[in-house]
Amino acid sequence: MLPLLILACFSAFVFEPAAGGLRIIGGQYALSGQFPHQVSLQLRGRHHCGGSLISPSWIITAAHCTYGQNPSQIRAVVGTTDLLAGDGKSFNIANIIIHPQYNPKTQDYDLSLIQLTELVPLDDNIGTIALADMETNHAADTVATISGFGAINGNLEMPTRLKYAEVQLWSRDFCNPQNIPGITDRMVCAGHPSGQVGACQGDSGGPLTVDNKLFGVVSWGFGCGARGKPAMYTYIGALRSWIKQNSGV
């Protein structure tokens, strides 16, 4: 099982929780400092999932990325757009807090907080991202941004450079249990109708941002860039109070 849950090929799209997550299909390569909040969570030295730095000591990611994992085997790398460049800074993990209602079968409440052993020094390439307010909502077709080190095609080719892409938020008129079995109020969906742009394996846990705020976390989908199928993101607004209670952010 790969970390993004790929029900079919996504880390979780019709899918099964992925063990590594999704990657960005389509899109562009990021510039240094363009996404200073982007985190690469590395398991035993290899990229496993994405994440977002929300304070100098806390990272937010998907629960399926940390479920069953030992904190001592995961490191967080920040401040780089190329995992082979050697310019990223690596940090040990002190604690992992998985949402107590996380369901690994349905991916409901797919959210996890990671506490680092030391404070991350912020600079031009490393920064935090603000969280969307409780119950924040956006109109259908609002443009959102996704970013990650995940696969860049359906063959799960995994480059080392950070990519990003713009996707559209989909309305509840389509993203509801009748059309997408398993979707809940803790999820929002976004994607590109053409299916040529989206998250893929390895992007799990990474950010979906709107107006420079973290609106969602990559959770699951129906494959990498499936035509007419959105990806599911854990909805930050619905779990904002839990995040505040456990991280202080």
Side-chain angles (χ1 to χ4, degrees), residues 169-249:
L169 300 182
W170 290 35
S171 75
R172 290 291 182 184
D173 290 339
F174 179 85
C175 292
N176 56 57
Q178 184 173 5
N179 291 321
I180 304 178
I183 194 170
T184 72
D185 291 340
R186 273 74 59 188
M187 304 172 190
V188 293
C189 56
H192 195 283
S194 70
Q196 297 177 14
V197 178
C200 189
Q201 201 67 30
D203 289 325
S204 287
L208 171 80
T209 65
V210 179
D211 296 335
N212 296 315
K213 289 188 176 183
L214 187 65
F215 183 65
V217 168
V218 180
S219 181
W220 61 274
F222 298 92
C224 300
R227 184 179 180 84
K229 298 288 187 180
M232 307 306 136
Y233 299 80
T234 303
Y235 174 32
I236 291 295
L239 303 180
R240 188 68 184 85
S241 61
W242 178 82
I243 297 169
K244 176 70 172 179
Q245 180 180 3
N246 286 275
S247 69
V249 179

XYZ file of all heavy atoms in Angstrom, residues 169-249:
599
model
N -11.314 23.785 -7.238
C -12.151 23.179 -6.218
C -13.460 22.743 -6.871
O -14.000 23.445 -7.714
C -12.436 24.174 -5.089
C -11.216 24.713 -4.323
C -11.675 25.641 -3.207
C -10.370 23.581 -3.761
N -13.951 21.583 -6.482
C -15.208 21.065 -7.028
C -16.318 21.277 -6.004
O -16.101 21.225 -4.798
C -15.071 19.590 -7.366
C -14.174 19.323 -8.537
C -13.050 20.013 -8.890
C -14.311 18.271 -9.500
N -12.487 19.465 -10.012
C -13.225 18.397 -10.414
C -15.228 17.240 -9.679
C -13.050 17.525 -11.482
C -15.045 16.367 -10.756
C -13.981 16.518 -11.643
N -17.506 21.493 -6.483
C -18.627 21.810 -5.597
C -19.220 20.558 -4.953
O -19.015 19.431 -5.424
C -19.725 22.529 -6.385
O -20.418 21.604 -7.208
N -19.975 20.782 -3.879
C -20.668 19.694 -3.209
C -21.802 19.130 -4.067
O -22.341 18.073 -3.782
C -21.235 20.178 -1.865
C -20.174 20.459 -0.811
C -19.485 19.194 -0.329
N -18.505 19.460 0.719
C -17.710 18.536 1.250
N -17.775 17.282 0.804
N -16.845 18.855 2.192
N -22.147 19.850 -5.123
C -23.173 19.322 -6.029
C -22.687 18.034 -6.679
O -23.481 17.169 -7.041
C -23.501 20.349 -7.122
C -24.243 21.558 -6.575
O -24.833 21.434 -5.485
O -24.220 22.613 -7.228
N -21.367 17.937 -6.834
C -20.787 16.705 -7.376
C -20.085 15.904 -6.297
O -20.204 14.679 -6.238
C -19.799 17.021 -8.500
C -19.164 15.776 -9.075
C -19.800 15.064 -10.071
C -17.945 15.305 -8.591
C -19.236 13.893 -10.575
C -17.369 14.143 -9.095
C -18.026 13.436 -10.097
N -19.325 16.590 -5.462
C -18.536 15.909 -4.433
C -19.402 15.603 -3.215
O -19.332 16.286 -2.180
C -17.335 16.766 -4.047
S -16.127 16.913 -5.371
N -20.218 14.606 -3.352
C -21.092 14.160 -2.267
C -21.133 12.632 -2.280
O -20.680 11.992 -3.239
C -22.495 14.755 -2.424
C -23.105 14.432 -3.776
O -23.230 13.276 -4.149
N -23.496 15.458 -4.532
N -21.635 12.019 -1.208
C -21.617 10.553 -1.114
C -22.341 9.833 -2.250
O -22.024 8.678 -2.550
C -22.308 10.298 0.235
C -22.019 11.523 1.028
C -22.108 12.647 0.034
N -23.284 10.501 -2.885
C -24.010 9.850 -3.976
C -23.097 9.639 -5.191
O -23.142 8.602 -5.855
C -25.217 10.687 -4.378
C -26.090 10.027 -5.447
C -27.371 10.802 -5.698
O -27.585 11.884 -5.149
N -28.235 10.233 -6.524
N -22.262 10.626 -5.475
C -21.355 10.538 -6.620
C -19.992 9.950 -6.256
O -19.348 9.308 -7.096
C -21.152 11.920 -7.237
C -22.397 12.447 -7.907
O -23.129 11.699 -8.543
N -22.651 13.742 -7.765
N -19.566 10.190 -5.034
C -18.262 9.700 -4.582
C -18.451 8.972 -3.257
O -18.391 9.587 -2.180
C -17.246 10.849 -4.412
C -17.107 11.629 -5.719
C -15.882 10.301 -3.978
C -16.167 12.807 -5.638
N -18.722 7.684 -3.307
C -18.903 6.924 -2.062
C -17.710 7.082 -1.139
O -16.566 6.984 -1.563
C -19.042 5.477 -2.565
C -19.570 5.613 -3.952
C -18.875 6.839 -4.502
N -17.992 7.365 0.113
C -16.913 7.496 1.086
C -16.536 8.923 1.426
O -15.870 9.158 2.431
N -16.947 9.886 0.618
C -16.611 11.271 0.926
C -17.409 11.726 2.139
O -18.570 11.337 2.325
C -16.861 12.197 -0.285
C -16.187 13.561 -0.049
C -18.339 12.353 -0.569
C -16.168 14.441 -1.286
N -16.787 12.520 3.003
C -17.448 13.003 4.219
C -17.272 14.508 4.332
O -16.608 15.143 3.511
C -16.837 12.351 5.479
O -15.525 12.908 5.702
C -16.730 10.836 5.331
N -17.844 15.070 5.384
C -17.723 16.505 5.608
C -16.312 16.912 6.005
O -16.010 18.096 6.092
C -18.699 16.950 6.706
C -20.150 16.867 6.267
O -20.392 16.835 5.046
O -21.040 16.831 7.142
N -15.444 15.949 6.274
C -14.043 16.251 6.590
C -13.184 16.233 5.338
O -11.955 16.245 5.407
C -13.482 15.239 7.595
C -13.712 15.592 9.062
C -15.117 15.393 9.473
N -15.530 14.003 9.272
C -16.788 13.592 9.416
N -17.748 14.442 9.738
N -17.101 12.313 9.210
N -13.803 16.206 4.183
C -13.066 16.146 2.927
C -13.555 17.212 1.955
O -14.731 17.577 1.959
C -13.234 14.774 2.267
C -12.832 13.593 3.119
S -13.287 12.015 2.328
C -12.984 10.866 3.693
N -12.650 17.719 1.136
C -13.006 18.577 0.007
C -12.343 17.941 -1.209
O -11.388 17.169 -1.079
C -12.516 20.029 0.184
C -13.250 20.703 1.323
C -11.010 20.077 0.419
N -12.869 18.234 -2.384
C -12.248 17.654 -3.561
C -11.848 18.735 -4.545
O -12.441 19.808 -4.614
C -13.134 16.604 -4.210
S -14.783 17.129 -4.666
N -10.802 18.437 -5.280
C -10.263 19.385 -6.246
C -9.551 18.604 -7.339
O -9.134 17.464 -7.145
C -9.284 20.345 -5.566
N -9.429 19.238 -8.499
C -8.747 18.575 -9.594
C -8.925 19.368 -10.872
O -9.458 20.478 -10.866
N -8.487 18.769 -11.946
C -8.628 19.379 -13.258
C -9.513 18.465 -14.080
O -9.255 17.257 -14.165
C -7.252 19.544 -13.913
C -7.246 20.458 -15.094
N -7.712 20.068 -16.333
C -6.851 21.753 -15.234
C -7.599 21.070 -17.183
N -7.075 22.109 -16.544
N -10.595 18.995 -14.680
C -11.519 18.148 -15.441
C -10.840 17.263 -16.479
O -11.283 16.145 -16.746
C -12.461 19.163 -16.091
C -12.434 20.335 -15.163
C -11.015 20.403 -14.682
N -9.751 17.743 -17.056
C -9.067 16.981 -18.096
C -8.327 15.778 -17.545
O -7.989 14.838 -18.268
C -8.051 17.876 -18.822
O -6.955 18.183 -17.971
N -8.071 15.809 -16.229
C -7.310 14.729 -15.622
C -5.821 14.804 -15.897
O -5.059 13.924 -15.521
N -5.370 15.860 -16.529
C -3.958 15.976 -16.886
C -3.139 16.704 -15.827
O -1.931 16.863 -15.972
C -3.829 16.699 -18.231
C -4.468 15.930 -19.374
C -4.414 16.683 -20.696
O -3.688 17.659 -20.828
N -5.185 16.240 -21.663
N -3.812 17.154 -14.790
C -3.135 17.863 -13.704
C -3.669 17.325 -12.388
O -4.877 17.181 -12.218
C -3.402 19.383 -13.777
C -2.732 20.087 -12.597
C -2.898 19.957 -15.093
N -2.788 17.027 -11.451
C -3.262 16.545 -10.158
C -2.145 15.950 -9.330
O -0.982 15.954 -9.725
N -2.533 15.449 -8.149
C -1.560 14.832 -7.252
C -1.359 13.379 -7.654
O -2.167 12.791 -8.352
C -2.056 14.920 -5.813
N -0.280 12.788 -7.174
C 0.007 11.393 -7.504
C 0.777 10.766 -6.352
O 0.995 11.405 -5.327
C 0.785 11.319 -8.815
S 0.967 9.644 -9.455
N 1.204 9.526 -6.542
C 1.895 8.814 -5.499
C 3.050 9.623 -4.940
O 3.888 10.110 -5.676
C 2.435 7.524 -6.085
C 2.721 6.491 -5.045
C 1.476 6.010 -4.406
O 0.455 5.990 -5.030
N 1.551 5.647 -3.145
N 3.080 9.780 -3.617
C 4.179 10.522 -3.012
C 3.793 11.925 -2.591
O 4.500 12.569 -1.836
N 2.648 12.412 -3.098
C 2.208 13.760 -2.731
C 1.339 13.744 -1.475
O 1.017 14.786 -0.923
C 1.405 14.396 -3.881
C 2.298 14.753 -5.061
O 3.451 15.141 -4.833
O 1.845 14.623 -6.205
N 0.934 12.571 -1.020
C 0.096 12.448 0.160
C 0.617 13.311 1.295
O 1.815 13.399 1.525
C 0.062 11.011 0.656
O -0.697 10.206 -0.188
N -0.309 13.905 2.031
C 0.064 14.717 3.177
C 0.488 16.127 2.835
O 0.634 16.966 3.722
N 0.694 16.395 1.550
C 1.136 17.710 1.120
C 0.016 18.730 1.077
O -1.156 18.406 1.301
N 0.343 19.981 0.781
C -0.615 21.079 0.878
C -1.496 21.328 -0.348
O -1.069 21.172 -1.490
C 0.292 22.288 1.118
C 1.543 21.936 0.351
C 1.724 20.452 0.542
N -2.728 21.709 -0.048
C -3.651 22.321 -1.012
C -3.907 23.709 -0.453
O -4.458 23.850 0.646
C -4.961 21.539 -1.093
C -6.088 22.209 -1.899
C -5.869 21.987 -3.400
C -7.463 21.647 -1.504
N -3.472 24.740 -1.155
C -3.584 26.091 -0.621
C -4.508 26.962 -1.460
O -4.592 26.813 -2.674
C -2.203 26.774 -0.543
O -1.679 26.942 -1.866
C -1.231 25.930 0.264
N -5.193 27.870 -0.772
C -6.034 28.875 -1.412
C -5.743 30.195 -0.716
O -5.755 30.272 0.516
C -7.534 28.541 -1.281
C -8.377 29.635 -1.946
C -7.844 27.179 -1.904
N -5.446 31.217 -1.492
C -5.133 32.537 -0.923
C -4.004 32.458 0.100
O -4.045 33.094 1.159
C -6.380 33.153 -0.277
C -7.481 33.437 -1.285
O -7.158 33.621 -2.477
O -8.662 33.453 -0.890
N -3.004 31.641 -0.209
C -1.809 31.499 0.641
C -2.114 30.943 2.025
O -1.362 31.182 2.982
C -1.085 32.841 0.767
C -0.554 33.332 -0.561
O 0.031 32.568 -1.330
N -0.773 34.613 -0.847
N -3.198 30.192 2.138
C -3.517 29.508 3.389
C -3.742 28.025 3.108
O -4.210 27.649 2.028
C -4.768 30.109 4.044
C -4.552 31.498 4.614
C -5.773 31.956 5.412
C -5.534 33.310 6.067
N -6.690 33.733 6.904
N -3.391 27.201 4.099
C -3.573 25.760 3.944
C -5.049 25.423 4.089
O -5.632 25.547 5.163
C -2.749 25.021 5.000
C -2.709 23.502 4.842
C -1.984 23.120 3.554
C -2.025 22.856 6.048
N -5.647 24.985 2.988
C -7.077 24.676 2.946
C -7.334 23.174 3.008
O -8.360 22.729 3.506
C -7.674 25.255 1.663
C -9.152 25.075 1.517
C -10.047 25.683 2.395
C -9.674 24.300 0.494
C -11.417 25.523 2.261
C -11.042 24.126 0.341
C -11.921 24.743 1.232
N -6.385 22.397 2.511
C -6.551 20.953 2.508
C -5.218 20.232 2.527
O -4.165 20.819 2.304
N -5.292 18.924 2.817
C -4.119 18.058 2.851
C -4.388 16.877 1.927
O -5.437 16.243 2.020
C -3.845 17.566 4.298
C -2.809 16.442 4.304
C -3.380 18.722 5.177
N -3.446 16.590 1.030
C -3.639 15.506 0.060
C -3.939 14.198 0.786
O -3.171 13.761 1.646
C -2.380 15.337 -0.818
C -2.587 14.196 -1.824
C -2.058 16.629 -1.551
N -5.054 13.564 0.417
C -5.483 12.366 1.117
C -5.622 11.157 0.201
O -4.858 10.211 0.290
C -6.806 12.629 1.846
O -7.246 11.489 2.548
N -6.621 11.177 -0.697
C -6.801 10.006 -1.560
C -7.434 10.379 -2.892
O -7.845 11.507 -3.093
C -7.620 8.931 -0.855
C -9.022 9.306 -0.446
C -9.410 9.918 0.711
C -10.235 9.068 -1.183
N -10.771 10.087 0.733
C -11.310 9.571 -0.407
C -10.518 8.490 -2.422
C -12.637 9.513 -0.827
C -11.852 8.420 -2.840
C -12.892 8.931 -2.039
N -7.479 9.425 -3.818
C -8.015 9.725 -5.129
C -8.302 8.493 -5.948
O -8.280 7.381 -5.444
N -8.551 8.683 -7.237
C -8.912 7.585 -8.132
C -7.811 7.264 -9.114
O -8.053 6.797 -10.202
C -10.180 7.937 -8.895
C -11.352 8.136 -7.995
C -11.663 9.391 -7.526
C -12.125 7.069 -7.591
C -12.735 9.586 -6.676
C -13.196 7.247 -6.738
C -13.505 8.512 -6.283
N -6.603 7.565 -8.801
C -5.502 7.350 -9.718
C -4.841 8.674 -10.019
O -5.333 9.719 -9.640
N -3.733 8.626 -10.680
C -2.995 9.849 -10.982
C -3.550 10.521 -12.225
O -3.382 10.008 -13.333
C -1.522 9.529 -11.182
S -0.743 8.782 -9.731
N -4.193 11.650 -12.035
C -4.710 12.391 -13.171
C -5.819 11.673 -13.915
O -5.839 11.654 -15.147
N -6.772 11.071 -13.193
C -7.897 10.384 -13.844
C -8.878 11.414 -14.400
O -9.314 12.310 -13.686
C -8.591 9.468 -12.848
N -9.240 11.270 -15.643
C -10.149 12.208 -16.295
C -11.510 12.208 -15.604
O -12.105 11.165 -15.362
C -10.320 11.849 -17.771
C -11.180 12.844 -18.545
C -11.278 12.445 -20.014
N -12.092 13.389 -20.767
C -11.642 14.521 -21.278
N -10.372 14.839 -21.127
N -12.435 15.335 -21.943
N -12.001 13.423 -15.279
C -13.315 13.555 -14.671
C -13.397 13.119 -13.229
O -14.488 13.055 -12.657
N -12.251 12.832 -12.604
C -12.243 12.382 -11.209
C -11.392 13.331 -10.374
O -10.203 13.523 -10.657
C -11.666 10.970 -11.102
C -12.456 9.906 -11.839
C -13.768 9.603 -11.127
C -14.448 8.408 -11.785
N -15.727 8.094 -11.109
N -11.948 13.923 -9.329
C -11.156 14.806 -8.471
C -10.346 14.006 -7.457
O -10.548 12.802 -7.292
C -12.236 15.632 -7.765
C -13.360 14.648 -7.608
C -13.357 13.839 -8.890
N -9.443 14.678 -6.794
C -8.718 14.083 -5.679
C -9.378 14.563 -4.387
O -10.003 15.621 -4.355
C -7.255 14.508 -5.715
N -9.235 13.778 -3.321
C -9.810 14.132 -2.028
C -8.719 14.692 -1.111
O -7.610 14.169 -1.052
C -10.441 12.922 -1.347
C -11.433 12.170 -2.194
S -12.729 13.201 -2.864
C -12.750 12.572 -4.528
N -9.096 15.743 -0.425
C -8.187 16.418 0.503
C -8.858 16.536 1.866
O -10.057 16.844 1.950
C -7.848 17.821 -0.012
C -7.147 17.833 -1.344
C -7.857 17.679 -2.535
C -5.758 17.970 -1.421
C -7.205 17.669 -3.768
C -5.100 17.966 -2.645
C -5.837 17.810 -3.818
O -5.190 17.794 -5.032
N -8.101 16.285 2.909
C -8.642 16.496 4.252
C -8.881 17.982 4.432
O -8.006 18.807 4.183
C -7.657 15.986 5.318
O -7.379 14.604 5.073
C -8.251 16.145 6.712
N -10.084 18.313 4.871
C -10.552 19.701 4.973
C -10.080 20.316 6.288
O -10.551 19.955 7.367
C -12.074 19.692 4.863
C -12.789 20.994 5.075
C -12.222 22.216 4.724
C -14.083 21.003 5.614
C -12.905 23.394 4.910
C -14.777 22.185 5.799
C -14.182 23.373 5.453
O -14.868 24.550 5.642
N -9.127 21.234 6.194
C -8.546 21.867 7.380
C -9.597 22.573 8.230
O -9.585 22.496 9.465
C -7.444 22.874 6.968
C -6.223 22.135 6.395
C -7.035 23.753 8.162
C -5.505 21.255 7.395
N -10.532 23.277 7.580
C -11.542 24.030 8.327
C -12.358 23.185 9.274
O -12.742 23.630 10.364
N -12.633 21.936 8.880
C -13.459 21.065 9.714
C -12.709 20.561 10.944
O -13.327 20.185 11.945
C -13.953 19.880 8.887
N -11.364 20.564 10.885
C -10.560 20.012 11.980
C -9.685 21.074 12.633
O -8.747 20.762 13.361
C -9.686 18.872 11.452
C -10.455 17.726 10.762
C -9.490 16.659 10.274
C -11.482 17.123 11.697
N -10.043 22.330 12.373
C -9.219 23.440 12.868
C -9.086 23.451 14.384
O -8.000 23.712 14.925
C -9.808 24.768 12.383
C -8.939 25.981 12.681
C -7.671 25.952 11.861
N -6.766 27.048 12.200
C -5.896 27.011 13.199
N -5.816 25.942 13.983
N -5.096 28.032 13.429
N -10.156 23.174 15.096
C -10.098 23.228 16.560
C -9.202 22.129 17.107
O -8.477 22.345 18.094
C -11.506 23.129 17.162
O -12.123 21.907 16.800
N -9.215 20.955 16.490
C -8.341 19.854 16.938
C -6.884 20.225 16.725
O -6.034 19.955 17.578
C -8.690 18.579 16.175
C -7.801 17.422 16.546
C -7.905 16.597 17.613
C -6.630 16.985 15.821
N -6.886 15.675 17.629
C -6.103 15.884 16.533
C -5.993 17.401 14.648
C -4.954 15.205 16.108
C -4.852 16.721 14.219
C -4.351 15.635 14.958
N -6.580 20.854 15.591
C -5.210 21.282 15.312
C -4.741 22.271 16.379
O -3.651 22.155 16.930
C -5.124 21.928 13.916
C -5.474 20.903 12.833
C -3.718 22.497 13.671
C -5.662 21.522 11.455
N -5.578 23.246 16.687
C -5.251 24.270 17.675
C -5.037 23.647 19.056
O -4.082 23.974 19.775
C -6.369 25.302 17.741
C -6.191 26.370 18.810
C -5.073 27.327 18.477
C -5.017 28.494 19.449
N -3.906 29.425 19.156
N -5.912 22.741 19.417
C -5.859 22.109 20.732
C -4.568 21.311 20.924
O -4.012 21.279 22.020
C -7.060 21.171 20.919
C -7.095 20.460 22.247
C -8.309 19.541 22.371
O -9.099 19.409 21.429
N -8.450 18.885 23.523
N -4.086 20.676 19.864
C -2.938 19.787 19.999
C -1.589 20.409 19.638
O -0.549 19.922 20.087
C -3.160 18.548 19.135
C -4.182 17.607 19.732
O -3.866 16.776 20.576
N -5.430 17.740 19.302
N -1.596 21.470 18.843
C -0.330 22.085 18.450
C -0.172 23.525 18.935
O 0.937 24.064 18.922
C -0.197 22.076 16.926
O -1.143 22.963 16.339
N -1.293 24.126 19.312
C -1.261 25.519 19.714
C -1.255 26.473 18.539
O -1.188 27.698 18.713
N -1.324 25.931 17.328
C -1.294 26.778 16.122
C -2.704 27.069 15.637
O -3.524 26.154 15.534
C -0.513 26.052 14.994
C -0.500 26.935 13.736
C 0.905 25.754 15.454
